[in-house]
Amino acid sequence: YVSAANIETTFNALQAEAAIRREEPVPDYVHFANIALADTFQIHEEGDIPDLNVFAANNDRIERQKTAPINVIVGNPPYSAGQTSANDDNQNLKYPSLDTRIAETYAGRSTAQLKNSLYDSYLRAFRWATDRIGGQGMVAFVSNGGWLDSNTGDGVRLSRAEDFTDLY
């Protein structure tokens, strides 16, 4: 919700500045009601049950966003490899549907013996985003280079070569 407040205030400040430059009345404040409080991976899991009592409006936004076509995803994925507990501040959670997709693609195509690192939230974000845009779109993430030349990353590279027509 901090993001929503930042988007709202920035948008409205820019609108006000433009109106003042044009010597027009400052427009009414416009609320930004399109950010949802959610675990992005969890809301796309099969069988996920929304909280219908406490966050009804939030759930409506989530359902609208899940069905909307998305062709561009830009972000800085979370990184939590090696996290083992909540005390580590960024525990790796289980996402059966997403992890199945990783098993079918990144892990399935990897020749590495140890593939645990393919299930960190960083690579989950890449898999989720790739699947979310479907057959057409663009994913632009801030990325480390671990998947570029690591033995475990061979399945990631092979999958990306199949998933995208261009990689930069």
Side-chain angles (χ1 to χ4, degrees):
Y1 289 130
V2 170
S3 295
N6 289 338
I7 291 169
E8 276 185 19
T9 57
T10 301
F11 174 79
N12 285 287
L14 291 172
Q15 293 292 87
E17 289 173 14
I20 291 168
R21 278 194 308 274
R22 294 188 305 263
E23 297 181 2
E24 298 173 353
V26 174
D28 291 337
Y29 190 90
V30 177
H31 292 282
F32 184 72
N34 291 311
I35 287 188
L37 177 61
D39 176 335
T40 300
F41 302 152
Q42 183 60 45
I43 64 172
H44 289 276
E45 282 295 307
E46 290 182 32
D48 182 53
I49 301 170
D51 182 343
L52 300 174
N53 298 320
V54 178
F55 296 112
N58 190 64
N59 292 328
D60 292 342
R61 286 191 292 273
I62 289 170
E63 291 306 316
R64 187 174 67 247
Q65 290 175 18
K66 284 172 54 176
T67 60
I70 293 182
N71 301 103
V72 177
I73 298 175
V74 179
N76 184 2
Y79 181 78
S80 67
Q83 301 295 317
T84 57
S85 75
N87 293 333
D88 292 336
D89 294 329
N90 203 8
Q91 181 181 8
N92 284 331
L93 302 173
K94 302 290 184 203
Y95 301 100
S97 301
L98 181 56
D99 291 348
T100 296
R101 287 291 296 138
I102 291 172
E104 295 168 350
T105 56
Y106 301 165
R109 293 181 178 119
S110 178
T111 59
Q113 294 298 314
L114 297 174
K115 301 176 185 181
N116 293 344
S117 64
L118 297 174
Y119 296 89
D120 73 16
S121 56
Y122 182 77
L123 288 173
R124 282 179 171 150
F126 271 105
R127 181 74 265 159
W128 174 86
T130 302
D131 290 345
R132 181 64 176 91
I133 63 168
Q136 182 175 352
M138 177 185 82
V139 175
F141 279 160
V142 173
S143 172
N144 67 23
W147 60 273
L148 289 172
D149 57 10
S150 70
N151 183 34
T152 307
D154 63 346
V156 176
R157 294 187 297 274
L158 289 169
S159 294
R160 295 216 178 126
E162 289 181 13
D163 292 334
F164 296 97
T165 55
D166 296 288
L167 294 168
Y168 298 94

